[in-house]
Amino acid sequence: MHVVVNGWFWNRPDTGSGQYVRECIGALAALAPDVRITVIVPQESQKQDAPSAGGKRQEELPPNCILHLASCNLSDWDKLHFEQFTFPHLCRELRADLAHIPYWGSPLSPSVPTVVSILDLIPLLLPEYRGGPLVRAYTGLVKAAAMNARLVLTISESSRRDIVKHLDIPEARVRVTYLAAGPHYSPRRDPVDDAALRRNYLDLPQDYVLYLGGFDARKNIETLLQVYTWAQDTIGHDFPLIVAGQLPKHGSLFRDPRVIAKALEVEDVVRCIGPVAEEDKPALYRGATAFLYPTRYEGFGLPALEALACGVPVVGSNASSVPEIVGEAGMLVDPDDARSMAGALIAVVSDDELHEKLANAAQEQARKFSWEKCARETLQAYRDALA
């Protein structure tokens, strides 16, 4: 079997789609050495050497997985042309048996049997993300194109229900292949990593509650900080909130937590440490007493799983896919109920017995997910799509 993969996000490990394609395809190639995999990676013409911007290099991959560079600019229009013309043309030219598009961007007229991964339906379900006429036209295009796929893969039962309901795709053609945290996310402390973390982030206290993620509207940053209006007098100074990530300009779609913290008068117990290097993330999770995650909508919710894999209980929302991922390893409430979320957080960081119970459950829950399992189920989808 020769599978050709759309690698538009291969060099974007800062995105969920980028993490998914690199980890899933790398694991799949290792699992099935008899399957040939070609990843079509767009590369600007002046950079035609090797994919390197955070993506896996050829020498890091099994021999049956080949990176094929395609000269392409990286604008929105070029992305559309790549999806609808360049990629299907290369599938035919490379004599693919099957194409896999690992994000919501499959061709309207595929040249070979196709599997598409739809990680979430954010631009369809959330009004803030629908954009202008061109964005809505693109959403309509990929919605129609998804109907032509042999199978649709998604990453949670919550997303599967959304796809069946809103894309009108039969249930039998939509399968769940859960994501996983990398093996470096574990509760085992490394003194070298811990020392590097403290050296790189000087404002990090000894004990803290962590938020690591985006700042767009669905992440519910308002509730994140409102929790500390209720919790600051009880735990705020002993367990301040550490907010990690590239801070945005405050506006209608993105929220600057510093602006909200000041308005809520909780800036004394909230510290924004900025973007965190990938190699520092496991130590940052491990150092947290709890992970605060009030998100309104997730296709999966990888930060929550990464926290669990490090033995850190999650306190957050019971929305969309979060209950699937967290299971019994956290305390989840309505995303609009900051007071109840604060009560749950206070209990988790103050009650040693409860914390130990949830920390043990976190590790058990995280073990249910693996990239090997994701790869195995993806491989079965390939075979069924060709059957």
Side-chain angles (χ1 to χ4, degrees):
M1 184 195 312
H2 181 201
V3 180
V4 175
V5 179
N6 179 322
W8 183 269
F9 287 99
W10 186 265
N11 285 337
R12 292 288 309 278
D14 56 318
T15 65
S17 295
Q19 291 178 325
Y20 170 65
V21 65
R22 288 182 294 117
E23 298 295 343
C24 178
I25 298 304
L28 197 152
L31 176 72
D34 57 322
V35 176
R36 291 171 53 214
I37 301 173
T38 302
V39 184
I40 308 298
V41 181
Q43 197 83 341
E44 292 181 294
S45 56
Q46 67 269 29
K47 298 179 180 178
Q48 287 287 345
D49 44 10
S52 59
K56 290 186 177 180
R57 291 179 175 271
Q58 182 64 64
E59 59 268 23
E60 298 174 304
L61 295 166
N64 58 321
C65 185
I66 303 298
L67 302 183
H68 181 99
L69 301 186
S71 180
C72 178
N73 292 321
L74 303 181
S75 70
D76 290 342
W77 283 111
D78 292 304
K79 179 174 179 287
L80 178 63
H81 188 274
F82 177 84
E83 293 165 352
Q84 299 301 320
F85 300 101
T86 304
F87 179 72
H89 170 74
L90 287 172
C91 285
R92 184 169 52 248
E93 186 177 273
L94 294 168
R95 297 184 179 182
D97 296 309
L98 182 79
H100 182 186
I101 297 86
Y103 65 97
W104 196 13
S106 56
L108 189 61
S109 299
S111 58
V112 298
T114 298
V115 171
V116 60
S117 297
I118 302 177
L119 309 188
D120 56 60
L121 295 185
I122 289 171
L124 192 65
L125 300 184
L126 305 182
E128 305 98 316
Y129 297 81
R130 289 176 185 162
L134 291 177
V135 175
R136 293 195 297 272
Y138 176 79
T139 301
L141 172 66
V142 295
K143 177 181 177 181
M147 297 294 294
N148 295 325
R150 294 276 181 94
L151 285 175
V152 173
L153 305 182
T154 192
I155 52 178
S156 66
E157 287 293 343
S158 174
S159 287
R160 182 175 184 267
R161 290 191 296 270
D162 288 342
I163 290 166
V164 170
K165 178 179 179 180
H166 296 283
L167 299 188
D168 199 27
I169 295 176
E171 287 187 30
R173 286 173 53 200
V174 186
R175 299 186 182 182
V176 175
T177 57
Y178 285 112
L179 308 185
H184 49 296
Y185 291 101
S186 80
R188 294 185 298 275
R189 287 188 175 272
D190 185 321
V192 175
D193 290 345
D194 290 346
L197 181 71
R198 298 289 169 178
R199 188 167 58 249
N200 294 337
Y201 308 93
L202 299 177
D203 200 30
L204 204 60
Q206 188 62 38
D207 299 302
Y208 55 89
V209 171
L210 177 65
Y211 172 78
L212 173 61
F215 299 97
D216 48 306
R218 67 190 171 95
K219 298 299 185 177
N220 200 15
I221 301 302
E222 291 86 354
T223 295
L224 177 81
L225 296 167
Q226 286 168 3
V227 166
Y228 267 73
T229 65
W230 297 99
Q232 65 176 331
D233 290 343
T234 307
I235 64 168
H237 292 285
D238 292 329
F239 298 94
L241 175 62
I242 298 301
V243 178
Q246 181 66 54
L247 297 175
K249 182 178 180 181
H250 193 73
S252 58
L253 184 58
F254 293 93
R255 312 290 197 258
D256 186 335
R258 296 169 299 185
V259 174
I260 301 170
K262 185 174 182 180
L264 294 174
E265 299 181 348
V266 294
E267 62 264 47
D268 288 346
V269 292
V270 175
R271 303 184 192 180
C272 298
I273 63 171
V276 177
E278 288 297 318
E279 59 268 22
D280 289 331
K281 286 181 180 179
L284 182 65
Y285 279 119
R286 282 193 293 266
T289 304
F291 186 71
L292 191 55
Y293 201 56
T295 182
R296 296 183 184 279
Y297 182 90
E298 297 291 332
F300 183 81
L302 192 55
L305 183 60
E306 290 170 345
L308 296 179
C310 292
V312 179
V314 173
V315 175
S317 74
N318 57 11
S320 66
S321 62
V322 180
E324 287 178 65
I325 309 309
V326 174
E328 300 300 316
M331 299 183 71
L332 306 178
V333 302
D334 188 291
D336 292 318
D337 193 347
R339 184 175 184 176
S340 293
M341 204 173 293
L345 180 63
I346 292 168
V348 169
V349 303
S350 302
D351 186 329
D352 291 341
E353 184 177 344
L354 174 62
H355 186 274
E356 183 179 4
K357 175 185 174 182
L358 292 177
N360 291 333
Q363 297 172 57
E364 288 294 324
Q365 180 70 5
R367 280 193 280 269
K368 297 177 182 178
F369 303 86
S370 75
W371 284 115
E372 190 273 338
K373 180 181 178 183
C374 178
R376 191 182 335 115
E377 292 170 347
T378 301
L379 178 61
Q380 187 60 53
Y382 290 171
R383 289 170 173 159
D384 292 345
L386 289 175

